[in-house]
Amino acid sequence: MDTPIAVVTGASRGAGRGIAAALLASGWRVYVTGRTVTDPGEGGIAVQVDHADDAAVGALFQRIGEQEGRLDLLVNNAAAVHDDLVNPKPFWEKPIELADVLDVGLRSAYVASWHAAPLLLAADKGMIVFTSSPGSVCYMHGPAYGAQKAGVDKLAADMAVDFADTGVSTVSIWMGILLTEKLKAAFTGHPDALAKTAEHAETPEFTGYLIDALYRDPELAQMSGHTVIGAELATRYGLTDEGGRVPPSHRDMLGAPREPSSAIVR
């Protein structure tokens, strides 16, 4: 089998960087995008892309088409995360720029998917993954964040209808609390508190290994259009996180993914 080819957007840090690292370790060739370019590791191809710039996104996929002729996986992870995201104030007392996540986060995922679709259709099997969270069904960080997460879950549902019987599947994955460098830095000087949080958290790489297993699942097509909880997906595939940890799904506390209706109105 040829080396599978992936694009991971917003991969210069955090979740995207971890997902890309896991895919690279699993044998993928990965194009990683971000406003800043970092070394993606062996097999990775870093491309500086501002996902607020539609033309730059189009140029990325044109390049992949010319160099590869196909695409097997797109991970839509790029998002504009404001420093005041976790501020508990009501939305009107926080900067209006928090709404940028509806542009780089929701709209940008649509644009990347639009450009990627012909390349995914050219592959033997294709998949689009959206990184999401329980914020799509519960109050989490305010309405802009929640709308973006609900939106990408809906993109997965509706794109699956258009991709039906083409060999391309779409899935949205709820990630848990992520042990990013930014989160770890917030616990500087408090190692015990960090260790306690880590018991219920996920490494950024965890989702990447889940995506690899999902892509290789012979029943992938049956999951297309659905939103899944990453921790529950790990149980399906018998995967654990760093150190053999089994992250919790938080379903009972934060809610369950909405099941899309079977109705189709064209």
PDB file of all heavy atoms in Angstrom, residues 115-136:
ATOM      1  N   HIS A 115     -12.001  22.412  -0.753  1.00  0.00           N
ATOM      2  CA  HIS A 115     -10.825  22.249  -1.593  1.00  0.00           C
ATOM      3  C   HIS A 115     -10.305  20.812  -1.573  1.00  0.00           C
ATOM      4  O   HIS A 115      -9.773  20.315  -2.570  1.00  0.00           O
ATOM      5  CB  HIS A 115      -9.715  23.200  -1.132  1.00  0.00           C
ATOM      6  CG  HIS A 115      -9.933  24.624  -1.530  1.00  0.00           C
ATOM      7  ND1 HIS A 115      -9.834  25.061  -2.835  1.00  0.00           N
ATOM      8  CD2 HIS A 115     -10.249  25.722  -0.780  1.00  0.00           C
ATOM      9  CE1 HIS A 115     -10.075  26.359  -2.885  1.00  0.00           C
ATOM     10  NE2 HIS A 115     -10.330  26.783  -1.654  1.00  0.00           N
ATOM     11  N   ALA A 116     -10.449  20.143  -0.432  1.00  0.00           N
ATOM     12  CA  ALA A 116      -9.916  18.787  -0.290  1.00  0.00           C
ATOM     13  C   ALA A 116     -10.774  17.741  -0.986  1.00  0.00           C
ATOM     14  O   ALA A 116     -10.262  16.679  -1.374  1.00  0.00           O
ATOM     15  CB  ALA A 116      -9.784  18.429   1.194  1.00  0.00           C
ATOM     16  N   ALA A 117     -12.062  18.004  -1.156  1.00  0.00           N
ATOM     17  CA  ALA A 117     -12.996  16.988  -1.636  1.00  0.00           C
ATOM     18  C   ALA A 117     -12.553  16.292  -2.926  1.00  0.00           C
ATOM     19  O   ALA A 117     -12.551  15.051  -2.993  1.00  0.00           O
ATOM     20  CB  ALA A 117     -14.387  17.597  -1.789  1.00  0.00           C
ATOM     21  N   PRO A 118     -12.155  17.013  -3.966  1.00  0.00           N
ATOM     22  CA  PRO A 118     -11.743  16.305  -5.194  1.00  0.00           C
ATOM     23  C   PRO A 118     -10.545  15.392  -4.992  1.00  0.00           C
ATOM     24  O   PRO A 118     -10.447  14.323  -5.601  1.00  0.00           O
ATOM     25  CB  PRO A 118     -11.412  17.455  -6.161  1.00  0.00           C
ATOM     26  CG  PRO A 118     -12.174  18.627  -5.647  1.00  0.00           C
ATOM     27  CD  PRO A 118     -12.153  18.477  -4.161  1.00  0.00           C
ATOM     28  N   LEU A 119      -9.619  15.794  -4.108  1.00  0.00           N
ATOM     29  CA  LEU A 119      -8.437  14.970  -3.844  1.00  0.00           C
ATOM     30  C   LEU A 119      -8.802  13.735  -3.027  1.00  0.00           C
ATOM     31  O   LEU A 119      -8.240  12.656  -3.221  1.00  0.00           O
ATOM     32  CB  LEU A 119      -7.380  15.791  -3.101  1.00  0.00           C
ATOM     33  CG  LEU A 119      -6.811  16.989  -3.858  1.00  0.00           C
ATOM     34  CD1 LEU A 119      -5.882  17.795  -2.957  1.00  0.00           C
ATOM     35  CD2 LEU A 119      -6.069  16.523  -5.104  1.00  0.00           C
ATOM     36  N   LEU A 120      -9.737  13.881  -2.113  1.00  0.00           N
ATOM     37  CA  LEU A 120     -10.208  12.735  -1.332  1.00  0.00           C
ATOM     38  C   LEU A 120     -10.953  11.743  -2.222  1.00  0.00           C
ATOM     39  O   LEU A 120     -10.826  10.526  -2.065  1.00  0.00           O
ATOM     40  CB  LEU A 120     -11.121  13.214  -0.202  1.00  0.00           C
ATOM     41  CG  LEU A 120     -10.436  14.019   0.908  1.00  0.00           C
ATOM     42  CD1 LEU A 120     -11.475  14.794   1.717  1.00  0.00           C
ATOM     43  CD2 LEU A 120      -9.632  13.102   1.819  1.00  0.00           C
ATOM     44  N   LEU A 121     -11.714  12.260  -3.160  1.00  0.00           N
ATOM     45  CA  LEU A 121     -12.452  11.403  -4.086  1.00  0.00           C
ATOM     46  C   LEU A 121     -11.510  10.657  -5.032  1.00  0.00           C
ATOM     47  O   LEU A 121     -11.864   9.604  -5.564  1.00  0.00           O
ATOM     48  CB  LEU A 121     -13.456  12.236  -4.887  1.00  0.00           C
ATOM     49  CG  LEU A 121     -14.634  12.793  -4.078  1.00  0.00           C
ATOM     50  CD1 LEU A 121     -15.383  13.848  -4.887  1.00  0.00           C
ATOM     51  CD2 LEU A 121     -15.582  11.674  -3.660  1.00  0.00           C
ATOM     52  N   ALA A 122     -10.318  11.204  -5.233  1.00  0.00           N
ATOM     53  CA  ALA A 122      -9.336  10.564  -6.113  1.00  0.00           C
ATOM     54  C   ALA A 122      -8.609   9.413  -5.428  1.00  0.00           C
ATOM     55  O   ALA A 122      -7.911   8.635  -6.082  1.00  0.00           O
ATOM     56  CB  ALA A 122      -8.325  11.598  -6.601  1.00  0.00           C
ATOM     57  N   ALA A 123      -8.742   9.313  -4.101  1.00  0.00           N
ATOM     58  CA  ALA A 123      -8.085   8.248  -3.343  1.00  0.00           C
ATOM     59  C   ALA A 123      -8.972   7.006  -3.306  1.00  0.00           C
ATOM     60  O   ALA A 123     -10.165   7.066  -3.594  1.00  0.00           O
ATOM     61  CB  ALA A 123      -7.785   8.724  -1.925  1.00  0.00           C
ATOM     62  N   ASP A 124      -8.385   5.875  -2.941  1.00  0.00           N
ATOM     63  CA  ASP A 124      -9.179   4.654  -2.793  1.00  0.00           C
ATOM     64  C   ASP A 124     -10.195   4.795  -1.673  1.00  0.00           C
ATOM     65  O   ASP A 124     -11.295   4.255  -1.740  1.00  0.00           O
ATOM     66  CB  ASP A 124      -8.261   3.455  -2.507  1.00  0.00           C
ATOM     67  CG  ASP A 124      -7.377   3.109  -3.691  1.00  0.00           C
ATOM     68  OD1 ASP A 124      -7.777   3.410  -4.840  1.00  0.00           O
ATOM     69  OD2 ASP A 124      -6.284   2.544  -3.480  1.00  0.00           O
ATOM     70  N   LYS A 125      -9.817   5.503  -0.638  1.00  0.00           N
ATOM     71  CA  LYS A 125     -10.689   5.760   0.506  1.00  0.00           C
ATOM     72  C   LYS A 125     -10.275   7.079   1.115  1.00  0.00           C
ATOM     73  O   LYS A 125      -9.088   7.358   1.244  1.00  0.00           O
ATOM     74  CB  LYS A 125     -10.556   4.637   1.543  1.00  0.00           C
ATOM     75  CG  LYS A 125     -11.399   4.847   2.796  1.00  0.00           C
ATOM     76  CD  LYS A 125     -11.338   3.644   3.745  1.00  0.00           C
ATOM     77  CE  LYS A 125      -9.995   3.503   4.394  1.00  0.00           C
ATOM     78  NZ  LYS A 125      -9.979   2.447   5.439  1.00  0.00           N
ATOM     79  N   GLY A 126     -11.234   7.912   1.473  1.00  0.00           N
ATOM     80  CA  GLY A 126     -10.907   9.204   2.048  1.00  0.00           C
ATOM     81  C   GLY A 126     -11.670   9.447   3.340  1.00  0.00           C
ATOM     82  O   GLY A 126     -12.708   8.838   3.594  1.00  0.00           O
ATOM     83  N   MET A 127     -11.150  10.351   4.153  1.00  0.00           N
ATOM     84  CA  MET A 127     -11.818  10.674   5.420  1.00  0.00           C
ATOM     85  C   MET A 127     -11.544  12.125   5.796  1.00  0.00           C
ATOM     86  O   MET A 127     -10.428  12.613   5.639  1.00  0.00           O
ATOM     87  CB  MET A 127     -11.334   9.746   6.533  1.00  0.00           C
ATOM     88  CG  MET A 127     -12.040   9.961   7.871  1.00  0.00           C
ATOM     89  SD  MET A 127     -11.701   8.662   9.107  1.00  0.00           S
ATOM     90  CE  MET A 127     -10.015   9.075   9.585  1.00  0.00           C
ATOM     91  N   ILE A 128     -12.581  12.784   6.288  1.00  0.00           N
ATOM     92  CA  ILE A 128     -12.451  14.107   6.890  1.00  0.00           C
ATOM     93  C   ILE A 128     -12.792  13.974   8.364  1.00  0.00           C
ATOM     94  O   ILE A 128     -13.840  13.412   8.716  1.00  0.00           O
ATOM     95  CB  ILE A 128     -13.384  15.142   6.242  1.00  0.00           C
ATOM     96  CG1 ILE A 128     -13.065  15.330   4.761  1.00  0.00           C
ATOM     97  CG2 ILE A 128     -13.275  16.488   6.972  1.00  0.00           C
ATOM     98  CD1 ILE A 128     -14.016  16.280   4.040  1.00  0.00           C
ATOM     99  N   VAL A 129     -11.908  14.476   9.218  1.00  0.00           N
ATOM    100  CA  VAL A 129     -12.137  14.479  10.663  1.00  0.00           C
ATOM    101  C   VAL A 129     -12.196  15.917  11.146  1.00  0.00           C
ATOM    102  O   VAL A 129     -11.374  16.751  10.749  1.00  0.00           O
ATOM    103  CB  VAL A 129     -11.026  13.713  11.408  1.00  0.00           C
ATOM    104  CG1 VAL A 129     -11.135  13.934  12.919  1.00  0.00           C
ATOM    105  CG2 VAL A 129     -11.099  12.219  11.099  1.00  0.00           C
ATOM    106  N   PHE A 130     -13.154  16.195  11.995  1.00  0.00           N
ATOM    107  CA  PHE A 130     -13.268  17.494  12.645  1.00  0.00           C
ATOM    108  C   PHE A 130     -12.961  17.296  14.125  1.00  0.00           C
ATOM    109  O   PHE A 130     -13.517  16.396  14.760  1.00  0.00           O
ATOM    110  CB  PHE A 130     -14.686  18.053  12.501  1.00  0.00           C
ATOM    111  CG  PHE A 130     -15.129  18.239  11.074  1.00  0.00           C
ATOM    112  CD1 PHE A 130     -15.725  17.193  10.375  1.00  0.00           C
ATOM    113  CD2 PHE A 130     -14.955  19.448  10.424  1.00  0.00           C
ATOM    114  CE1 PHE A 130     -16.140  17.344   9.065  1.00  0.00           C
ATOM    115  CE2 PHE A 130     -15.363  19.619   9.110  1.00  0.00           C
ATOM    116  CZ  PHE A 130     -15.957  18.566   8.429  1.00  0.00           C
ATOM    117  N   THR A 131     -12.073  18.110  14.681  1.00  0.00           N
ATOM    118  CA  THR A 131     -11.816  18.019  16.114  1.00  0.00           C
ATOM    119  C   THR A 131     -12.851  18.879  16.834  1.00  0.00           C
ATOM    120  O   THR A 131     -13.046  20.045  16.517  1.00  0.00           O
ATOM    121  CB  THR A 131     -10.396  18.475  16.480  1.00  0.00           C
ATOM    122  OG1 THR A 131     -10.179  19.823  16.039  1.00  0.00           O
ATOM    123  CG2 THR A 131      -9.360  17.556  15.835  1.00  0.00           C
ATOM    124  N   SER A 132     -13.517  18.273  17.810  1.00  0.00           N
ATOM    125  CA  SER A 132     -14.625  18.943  18.473  1.00  0.00           C
ATOM    126  C   SER A 132     -14.577  18.660  19.965  1.00  0.00           C
ATOM    127  O   SER A 132     -13.575  18.164  20.484  1.00  0.00           O
ATOM    128  CB  SER A 132     -15.950  18.465  17.851  1.00  0.00           C
ATOM    129  OG  SER A 132     -17.047  19.216  18.333  1.00  0.00           O
ATOM    130  N   SER A 133     -15.665  18.990  20.668  1.00  0.00           N
ATOM    131  CA  SER A 133     -15.696  18.798  22.116  1.00  0.00           C
ATOM    132  C   SER A 133     -17.143  18.793  22.590  1.00  0.00           C
ATOM    133  O   SER A 133     -18.057  19.180  21.850  1.00  0.00           O
ATOM    134  CB  SER A 133     -14.919  19.912  22.821  1.00  0.00           C
ATOM    135  OG  SER A 133     -15.749  21.027  23.070  1.00  0.00           O
ATOM    136  N   PRO A 134     -17.374  18.397  23.853  1.00  0.00           N
ATOM    137  CA  PRO A 134     -18.740  18.443  24.402  1.00  0.00           C
ATOM    138  C   PRO A 134     -19.323  19.848  24.424  1.00  0.00           C
ATOM    139  O   PRO A 134     -20.524  20.014  24.661  1.00  0.00           O
ATOM    140  CB  PRO A 134     -18.558  17.896  25.831  1.00  0.00           C
ATOM    141  CG  PRO A 134     -17.331  17.062  25.774  1.00  0.00           C
ATOM    142  CD  PRO A 134     -16.425  17.771  24.799  1.00  0.00           C
ATOM    143  N   GLY A 135     -18.494  20.865  24.178  1.00  0.00           N
ATOM    144  CA  GLY A 135     -19.004  22.225  24.079  1.00  0.00           C
ATOM    145  C   GLY A 135     -20.070  22.387  23.017  1.00  0.00           C
ATOM    146  O   GLY A 135     -20.782  23.396  22.991  1.00  0.00           O
ATOM    147  N   SER A 136     -20.221  21.381  22.145  1.00  0.00           N
ATOM    148  CA  SER A 136     -21.271  21.466  21.123  1.00  0.00           C
ATOM    149  C   SER A 136     -22.667  21.216  21.701  1.00  0.00           C
ATOM    150  O   SER A 136     -23.663  21.570  21.078  1.00  0.00           O
ATOM    151  CB  SER A 136     -20.999  20.473  19.986  1.00  0.00           C
ATOM    152  OG  SER A 136     -21.390  19.171  20.318  1.00  0.00           O
TER     153      SER A 136
END
